[in-house]
Amino acid sequence: MTEIQSLARGLKILDLLAAAEDTVGITEIAEYLGMDKSSISRVMQTLAVYGYAEQEASTRRYRLGPQVVVLGQTLLNRLPLRDQARPFLQQLVDRTGECAHLGVLTQNQVLYVDQVESLATLRVNTRIGTLAPLHCTALGKALISFARLDLPEELNPFTTRTIVNPDVLRVHLEQTRLQGYAIDDEEYNYDVRCIAAPVYNHDNNVVGAIGISGPAGRMNLEHIPEMAAIVCEVARALSNRVAFRRS
Amino acid sequence: MTEIQSLARGLKILDLLAAAEDTVGITEIAEYLGMDKSSISRVMQTLAVYGYAEQEASTRRYRLGPQVVVLGQTLLNRLPLRDQARPFLQQLVDRTGECAHLGVLTQNQVLYVDQVESLATLRVNTRIGTLAPLHCTALGKALISFARLDLPEELNPFTTRTIVNPDVLRVHLEQTRLQGYAIDDEEYNYDVRCIAAPVYNHDNNVVGAIGISGPAGRMNLEHIPEMAAIVCEVARALSNRVAFRRS
DNA sequence: GGGATTTGTTGCTCAATATACAACTGCGTT
DNA sequence: AACGCAGTTGTATATTGAGCAACAAATCCC
């Protein structure tokens, strides 16, 4: 694996620009990458020429450029699942009162590609474009368990409830498969529970997962079965739609 | 201006991946850039490592990776104007029945950063993430005329109505400024007319523009004044909101 | 089914080029 | 007004990325 260093530098800088709160100066970037600021200056000029970065005229500092939006939306618009899922996400919100999300598998992570917010004052907001781990989110667990994928190598803990033992996780996923839906019981964020179910295409491949997230108070353990039933029902309806099956 | 070539190549490839309908093979890319496929192979590996491209397992061809969504959404979420504008765009749709858009200026182009669709059967759909020229779109003309920016160097024609003469455009923009709103009268797309007005912050700087787009039939010349009045009113209300002014 | 063709990956060499240093410019500060 | 700080530009050198060629793998096509 030969990695092209100057390209990799540029991409790392884009990541850095995204992680930064606001604009970033060339000196900071140079420090961060352990390089000379003159080199970074030229990298930034290149990124700017192609619209991936933008220099603020007044401060000469840099931020992400419009081209990243163009690319991001291009990819999102290319997911037909996304348009199809929208009304079903809305239905989930209407029927459960919690925020609904659509996730797909990429690079051993879940990518949240759509979201419908609930009207509740206290609500969970996972923005579109978020990447999250597979082993401790409901969407992620739905994806790996129903698509029968391998476990991720690293099972990092995020809360004390995160399942970090591969054997325990395997059993848990088997159980998930049997019950037809996945649950995240404060395994990624404290006070947040999620329920998710898979979406299939006409070849019976898992193409994504939809689910709801809410505060642990409302999503308490006795409500979960009925909410899960709704999630499963809507996910099944969406699968039928995706697979061109009628009803 | 010293451009870093290997980075530039990577960025060009991202643009290419976005322009492509579906996946792209390495040979095609190499041909397109006039390079050896081995070199491109390594570029693609680098892009893939950082999540900017993704290789389809079955065909070994490449597409955009999830990271571009992450970056794109990061930038969109960083625009506070976007969240603030949403209900005002909705109001435009409710009151005019046409699609409403929010645009900001970047790199001498308008970037469409939000959209609310109308319910009409025949409607104009300009997706988020679209970049469009300044001189022949209502949003673009609103941005340059009210922000008193220089004209773009190139005034490319898109329809027979596109204004390509700088002097004519200057007069037109002056008129736009006087009447308080900008019009695109089939200057970018045939059968589409748009109306837009600027949004100001508390320093009285133009931070964006909002407007509506519809088929020329409904947006006919006698309806435009009343629709323009609504656009101006809503844009003013949004400006007040943005500037923390009350009412 | 199997040879042929197309497509993507890897090893290796050499020339192109990206890097660091240093000098320069422009801003803001004290 | 002088200083200090941040970003840009010129230039020499060593790194590194490009191309060639061989390899691997998948697809085509008879």
Side-chain angles (χ1 to χ4, degrees):
Chain A
M1 164 76 59
T2 321
E3 194 171 281
I4 289 175
Q5 297 188 20
S6 10
L7 175 56
R9 296 230 160 84
L11 301 179
K12 276 184 206 154
I13 291 174
L14 289 180
D15 292 349
L16 180 69
L17 291 178
E21 288 299 313
D22 196 42
T23 59
V24 185
I26 247 174
T27 313
E28 295 166 58
I29 303 174
E31 229 162 81
Y32 172 74
L33 291 177
M35 295 180 61
D36 193 88
K37 61 193 175 121
S38 69
S39 312
I40 301 298
S41 175
R42 284 184 248 256
V43 173
M44 297 315 292
Q45 285 174 37
T46 307
L47 289 173
V49 165
Y50 291 89
Y52 288 82
E54 197 168 59
Q55 191 172 36
E56 197 168 62
S58 55
T59 62
R60 314 207 113 191
R61 292 162 66 84
Y62 289 88
R63 66 162 65 93
L64 288 175
Q67 192 60 22
V68 302
V69 177
V70 174
L71 293 188
Q73 290 298 129
T74 301
L75 183 52
L76 285 179
N77 290 336
R78 209 167 280 170
L79 298 172
L81 176 60
R82 193 162 172 262
D83 291 326
Q84 296 185 309
R86 190 108 256 259
F88 294 86
L89 293 181
Q90 185 62 55
Q91 202 186 121
L92 278 181
V93 174
D94 293 342
R95 294 174 64 183
T96 66
E98 303 297 346
C99 290
H101 301 101
L102 167 67
V104 299
L105 181 77
T106 25
Q107 314 250 330
N108 271 321
Q109 292 187 287
V110 208
L111 176 65
Y112 287 70
V113 295
D114 207 0
Q115 182 212 24
V116 173
E117 286 191 67
S118 85
L119 297 171
T121 309
L122 175 63
R123 61 174 185 245
V124 175
N125 187 355
T126 306
R127 305 203 87 150
I128 298 173
T130 304
L131 282 171
L134 292 173
H135 69 284
C136 56
T137 57
L139 290 174
K141 289 198 274 187
L143 291 171
I144 42 176
S145 64
F146 293 98
R148 293 160 192 276
L149 298 174
D150 296 332
L151 298 188
E153 285 111 44
E154 308 250 315
L155 301 179
N156 298 113
F158 292 86
T159 72
T160 53
R161 306 189 66 100
T162 308
I163 302 174
V164 292
N165 181 320
D167 297 324
V168 173
L169 185 59
R170 249 181 288 271
V171 171
H172 174 82
L173 292 178
E174 182 54 37
Q175 204 180 328
T176 296
R177 215 164 336 193
L178 291 174
Q179 74 190 359
Y181 59 89
I183 288 186
D184 153 19
D185 182 12
E186 305 189 59
E187 297 159 41
Y188 187 43
N189 286 121
Y190 285 114
D191 300 318
V192 174
R193 292 208 182 93
C194 312
I195 306 172
V199 179
Y200 295 93
N201 67 5
H202 58 286
D203 296 327
N204 259 333
N205 290 319
V206 175
V207 291
I210 62 175
I212 56 174
S213 306
R218 288 200 301 264
M219 306 269 288
N220 59 54
L221 298 179
E222 56 186 68
H223 278 130
I224 282 190
E226 49 178 299
M227 297 183 113
I230 297 175
V231 172
C232 289
E233 184 192 324
V234 174
R236 213 171 310 120
L238 172 55
S239 296
N240 285 340
R241 169 77 204 286
V242 169
F244 302 108
R245 281 183 235 115
R246 284 286 152 240
S247 156
Chain B
M1 164 75 60
T2 319
E3 193 170 284
I4 288 174
Q5 297 188 17
S6 12
L7 175 56
R9 274 190 240 287
L11 301 179
K12 277 183 203 156
I13 291 174
L14 290 180
D15 292 348
L16 180 69
L17 291 178
E21 288 299 313
D22 197 41
T23 59
V24 185
I26 246 176
T27 314
E28 295 167 58
I29 303 175
E31 228 162 82
Y32 172 76
L33 291 177
M35 294 180 61
D36 195 89
K37 59 194 177 125
S38 69
S39 311
I40 302 298
S41 176
R42 283 185 249 254
V43 173
M44 297 315 293
Q45 285 175 38
T46 308
L47 288 173
V49 165
Y50 292 90
Y52 288 81
E54 198 169 58
Q55 192 173 36
E56 198 168 60
S58 55
T59 63
R60 312 203 118 191
R61 294 161 67 84
Y62 288 89
R63 67 161 65 93
L64 288 175
Q67 192 61 22
V68 302
V69 178
V70 175
L71 293 189
Q73 289 299 130
T74 302
L75 183 52
L76 284 179
N77 290 336
R78 208 167 282 170
L79 296 171
L81 175 60
R82 195 162 170 261
D83 291 326
Q84 295 184 309
R86 192 105 253 263
F88 294 87
L89 293 181
Q90 185 62 55
Q91 203 187 120
L92 278 180
V93 173
D94 294 342
R95 294 174 63 181
T96 67
E98 304 296 347
C99 290
H101 301 101
L102 167 66
V104 299
L105 182 77
T106 25
Q107 313 250 327
N108 271 321
Q109 292 187 286
V110 207
L111 177 66
Y112 286 71
V113 294
D114 207 0
Q115 182 211 22
V116 172
E117 286 192 66
S118 85
L119 297 172
T121 310
L122 175 63
R123 62 174 185 244
V124 175
N125 188 353
T126 306
R127 305 201 89 148
I128 298 172
T130 303
L131 281 171
L134 294 173
H135 69 286
C136 55
T137 57
L139 290 175
K141 290 198 273 187
L143 291 170
I144 41 175
S145 63
F146 293 98
R148 291 160 193 276
L149 299 175
D150 296 332
L151 299 189
E153 285 110 44
E154 307 250 313
L155 302 179
N156 297 113
F158 290 87
T159 73
T160 53
R161 307 188 65 100
T162 309
I163 302 175
V164 292
N165 180 318
D167 297 324
V168 174
L169 185 59
R170 247 182 289 271
V171 171
H172 175 83
L173 292 178
E174 182 53 37
Q175 204 181 328
T176 296
R177 213 164 336 193
L178 291 173
Q179 75 191 357
Y181 59 90
I183 288 185
D184 153 19
D185 181 11
E186 306 188 61
E187 297 159 41
Y188 187 44
N189 285 121
Y190 284 114
D191 300 317
V192 174
R193 293 210 181 92
C194 312
I195 306 172
V199 179
Y200 295 91
N201 67 4
H202 58 287
D203 296 327
N204 257 335
N205 290 319
V206 175
V207 290
I210 62 174
I212 56 175
S213 306
R218 287 200 302 266
M219 304 270 288
N220 58 53
L221 299 178
E222 55 187 69
H223 278 129
I224 282 190
E226 50 179 298
M227 298 183 111
I230 296 175
V231 172
C232 289
E233 185 192 323
V234 175
R236 212 171 311 119
L238 172 55
S239 295
N240 285 339
R241 170 78 203 285
V242 169
F244 301 109
R245 280 182 235 117
R246 282 289 150 237
S247 161

